[in-house]
Amino acid sequence: MNNYPHNLLSIEKSATGRRGVKYAPAQKPANAYLPQNLLRAAAPKLPELSELDAVRHFSNLSRLNVGLDTHFYPLGSCTMKYNPKAYDVLAALDNFTAMHPFAPVETAQGTLEIIYKLEEVLKAATGFDAFTLQPAAGAHGEFTGALVAKAYHAARKDKQRTEIIIPDTAHGTNPATAAMCGFNVVAIKSGPDGRVDMAELQKALGPKTALVMLTIPNTVGLFEKQIKEAAQIIHDAGALIYMDGANLNALIGMVKPAQLGVDIMHINAHKTLATPHGGGGPGAGFVGVVKTLEEFLPFGRVNFDGKKYAFAKPSKKSIGSVKSFYGNIAVLLRAYFYLRQFNGETLKEISQNAVLNANYIRALMERDFPVYFKETSMHECVFTIDKDKMNGVKTLDIAKRLLDLGFHAPTIYFPLIVPEALMVEPTETESRQTMDTFAAAMAQIMQEAQTNPDLLKNAPQNCPVKRIDEVSAAREPNLHW
Ligand SMILES: Cc1ncc(COP(=O)(O)O)c(C=O)c1O
C-alpha cells in the first residue's frame, strides 16, 4: 500500500485537537452519573479528524469493497440472489424493528400475523404441512431438522437408528450437523455423473439409518433426477429423507419438494428469499416437515384462532427451543414480501432465469475451461482447468486476476470432489451483457496464461492489497499492528 491519503488509517490521519463538530461542554460531566470504579483513567485514543476527513475515510473504505452493488458477483454456492432494495425500506419499519422481545402478544399482532402468514406461503410454495421459522441459518435449520428426525425415531422407540447417510456432493455443513446431533456419518461416493449412486445408497441403508441428507441441487449444481426412487428406498428402510434446500433458488416455483417424497427440508432465506447472503449478518433457515413430523417441531410457532394471533402451546414431543425470540424479523419480512410479490409463474420464472444464466455462462466459458460433470447445470456450474494448457497457472491465480479486471471471484476449490474447482453462479437478474463481459474476461485470462503466466501468478496488480503470502500468513501470523 502506498501513502496516498486514502490509504492511510484514520489514526495516521489524526491531528491533536482536530474536530468535525464542537459541542458546548456538558452542564454536568458524565462522571457525575457513573460509579467511580467504572471511569476511565485517561481519554480513549480515538482518531481526531475533521468532518471531511472522517467522511472521506469511510467513503474510501467502502469503495475498497468488491460486492454485488459494485461488481458482478459470480460466487458459486453463495451468490447474491435478487434482493429488492425496496424491501430494505419495508423491513426497517419501526413497527417491526422497535418491537421489544417481551412485548405482550396484544401489541405484537402485526408481527405475529406476518410470521403466521409466512408459514402459510412457505407451505404453499413447497408442499410441506408445517414450518418452523425459528432457525437463524442454514446449518441451524439442518441441526433442527436432524433433531426432529432423532425425536421421531425416539418416539417410535426405534433406538438403533444412529446413522445419517450423506453423499460426497452434499454441502459441508451436512456432516457437521449430523455429528453435532450425535449421529455417525456414513459418507457415500457419487456416481460418475455427479449424482447419488443408487447402488451405493442402497448398500449404505439399513436398520441403523435414521436419515439421508441430500443437497438438491447438489454442490456440483446438479438435480438428483432419481430423487423419487431414492425417497422410496429410504422410506422402505424405515429412514427419513432430508433435503438441504439451500439451493432452492434453482427450483422454487418449478417443483414442490414435499411431492418428491422429502420429509424435512430447510431453506436458506438468505440464499433464496431476498436477504443478502455472505455478509455474516442475520439469516434464517426455515424448516418444513410433513404432517407426521409436525409435533416434533421447536417452540415458537404462531397460531391464529380467527381473531387473535398468539404463540402456539408447545407440543409435548417438541424438540424444545432452538432460538430465543425473532431478532432476525427483517429476514422473515423480506421472505414474506418476496413470496407475496412473486408467486406462481413469476416464481417459476426466477428459477428458470437462474438456470438459464448459469448455463449461458457455462456455454461461453466451456471453450476454455472444461466443465467437470457434463450434465446440464442448474443454478451454478463447476469448471476445472486443463493443467496442460495453463503453464502452471492455478485456479487461485485466475480468481486473483479477476479482481484486477473488475469482477468478484467465483468460489474456488469447492466442491472438494472437483480438482482446481471454479464454481460460477450468476445472480438470476444479471443481464446478458454483464455475463458476456465476465466471459470475455475469462477468455482474456486464458490468453494471458499462454502469453504471460507470471502476470496471473502475481495478480492482483491493481488492488490496494497485493497477493499475500498465504503460507506465512497461516504459519507465522503477525496479529499486531
Ligand atoms: C447447500 C447449502 N447448505 C447449507 C448451507 C449453510 O447455510 P448457512 O451458511 O446459513 O449456515 C449453505 C450455505 O451457503 C449451502 O449452500
Side-chain angles (χ1 to χ4, degrees):
M1 285 230 239
N2 57 40
N3 277 349
Y4 292 135
H6 58 270
N7 282 342
L8 295 178
L9 298 176
S10 59
I11 202 81
E12 292 170 323
K13 288 180 204 157
S14 173
T16 310
R18 188 169 287 162
R19 290 285 180 278
V21 188
K22 284 201 173 106
Y23 295 103
Q27 300 273 316
K28 210 168 166 191
N31 61 14
Y33 301 98
L34 297 169
Q36 291 302 305
N37 63 333
L38 297 181
L39 295 180
R40 285 177 167 279
K45 285 187 188 155
L46 296 176
E48 298 179 72
L49 301 173
S50 71
E51 185 168 325
L52 279 177
D53 281 341
V55 170
R56 284 179 193 150
H57 179 73
F58 289 107
S59 302
N60 285 323
L61 271 186
S62 74
R63 281 195 218 139
L64 297 180
N65 266 347
V66 176
L68 187 66
D69 285 346
T70 51
H71 296 73
F72 177 59
Y73 194 96
L75 196 69
S77 188
C78 299
T79 197
M80 291 289 180
K81 303 312 296 171
Y82 175 46
N83 301 306
K85 297 284 182 224
Y87 297 176
D88 289 348
V89 180
L90 297 173
L93 290 175
D94 276 359
N95 312 44
F96 300 110
T97 57
M99 178 73 60
H100 191 282
F102 285 118
V105 290
E106 293 72 31
T107 64
Q109 287 295 298
T111 301
L112 294 182
E113 180 178 349
I114 296 234
I115 293 174
Y116 180 85
K117 289 188 171 167
L118 174 56
E119 183 174 335
E120 295 303 305
V121 285
L122 285 167
K123 280 162 37 181
T126 60
F128 288 104
D129 296 303
F131 265 86
T132 169
L133 312 184
Q134 280 272 296
H140 196 191
E142 293 168 30
F143 180 75
T144 305
L147 287 184
V148 164
K150 196 172 193 172
Y152 164 80
H153 293 301
R156 302 173 77 228
K157 312 240 177 311
D158 198 351
K159 291 193 181 132
Q160 57 180 342
R161 297 197 178 265
T162 51
E163 292 178 351
I164 294 189
I165 298 176
I166 304 177
D168 57 7
T169 48
H171 194 263
T173 46
N174 292 189
T177 294
M180 278 196 65
C181 293
F183 288 101
N184 298 322
V185 177
V186 177
I188 53 171
K189 262 179 89 60
S190 305
D193 61 351
R195 298 194 170 89
V196 168
D197 181 325
M198 296 294 280
E200 286 287 313
L201 175 62
Q202 184 74 74
K203 228 183 337 168
L205 278 166
K208 286 189 177 175
T209 314
L211 190 65
V212 178
M213 293 180 90
L214 301 179
T215 302
I216 303 180
N218 65 18
T219 54
V220 288
L222 299 178
F223 181 70
E224 295 294 349
K225 285 188 191 159
Q226 288 179 289
I227 176 69
K228 284 191 172 168
E229 291 83 339
Q232 186 64 52
I233 62 170
I234 292 165
H235 288 148
D236 288 349
L240 297 174
I241 169 166
Y242 183 100
M243 170 169 157
D244 176 332
N247 294 331
L248 198 68
N249 59 296
L251 292 177
I252 196 159
M254 310 273 285
V255 66
K256 297 189 180 189
Q259 292 173 356
L260 300 174
V262 171
D263 301 302
I264 314 172
M265 177 186 75
H266 84 265
I267 305 175
N268 278 32
H270 46 295
K271 277 185 80 172
T272 303
L273 300 174
T275 285
H277 180 270
F286 310 138
V287 176
V289 294
V290 292
K291 195 77 196 153
T292 41
L293 299 176
E294 181 172 4
E295 59 187 340
F296 304 104
L297 285 179
F299 301 165
R301 297 182 61 217
V302 172
N303 265 351
F304 182 53
D305 65 6
K307 288 194 187 127
K308 212 174 97 187
Y309 295 92
F311 283 109
K313 200 164 159 269
S315 138
K316 285 207 178 79
K317 293 191 180 160
S318 163
I319 59 165
S321 194
V322 295
K323 179 163 78 33
S324 325
F325 312 117
Y326 280 100
N328 57 347
I329 188 71
V331 181
L332 275 56
L333 291 167
R334 287 194 188 88
Y336 180 66
F337 302 146
Y338 195 76
L339 288 172
R340 288 300 303 270
Q341 181 172 359
F342 304 106
N343 48 40
E345 282 304 303
T346 45
L347 208 51
K348 188 170 169 186
E349 224 175 279
I350 288 172
S351 291
Q352 286 172 336
N353 281 342
V355 175
L356 178 65
N357 278 5
N359 284 287
Y360 180 71
I361 287 233
R362 171 182 165 154
L364 295 180
M365 277 177 58
E366 221 170 349
R367 289 175 224 149
D368 293 324
F369 299 94
V371 171
Y372 195 71
F373 292 108
K374 304 298 171 208
E375 307 282 318
T376 307
S377 301
M378 295 289 289
H379 58 303
E380 60 196 0
C381 39
V382 187
F383 301 90
T384 180
I385 55 175
D386 184 343
K387 282 191 184 145
D388 295 341
K389 291 190 186 156
M390 298 306 287
N391 291 318
V393 168
K394 298 236 167 15
T395 290
L396 178 72
D397 307 320
I398 298 171
K400 299 285 184 198
R401 180 68 180 140
L402 276 169
L403 294 172
D404 273 343
L405 300 179
F407 296 95
H408 192 286
T411 295
I412 55 172
Y413 299 107
F414 176 83
L416 302 177
I417 56 172
V418 178
E420 292 291 320
L422 246 167
M423 186 193 220
V424 177
E425 181 176 4
T427 300
E428 71 279 17
T429 43
E430 285 299 349
S431 67
R432 180 173 173 180
Q433 191 181 25
T434 303
M435 291 189 292
D436 286 343
T437 327
F438 176 75
M442 290 299 288
Q444 177 183 329
I445 289 174
M446 188 61 185
Q447 199 61 38
E448 287 169 350
Q450 317 310 311
T451 54
N452 190 1
D454 283 344
L455 177 72
L456 302 179
K457 289 177 196 166
N458 294 312
Q461 315 282 348
N462 304 334
C463 296
V465 179
K466 303 284 178 276
R467 177 80 65 110
I468 56 166
D469 177 348
E470 292 186 356
V471 176
S472 302
R475 296 219 171 126
E476 299 157 34
N478 177 1
L479 304 176
H480 298 270
W481 180 253

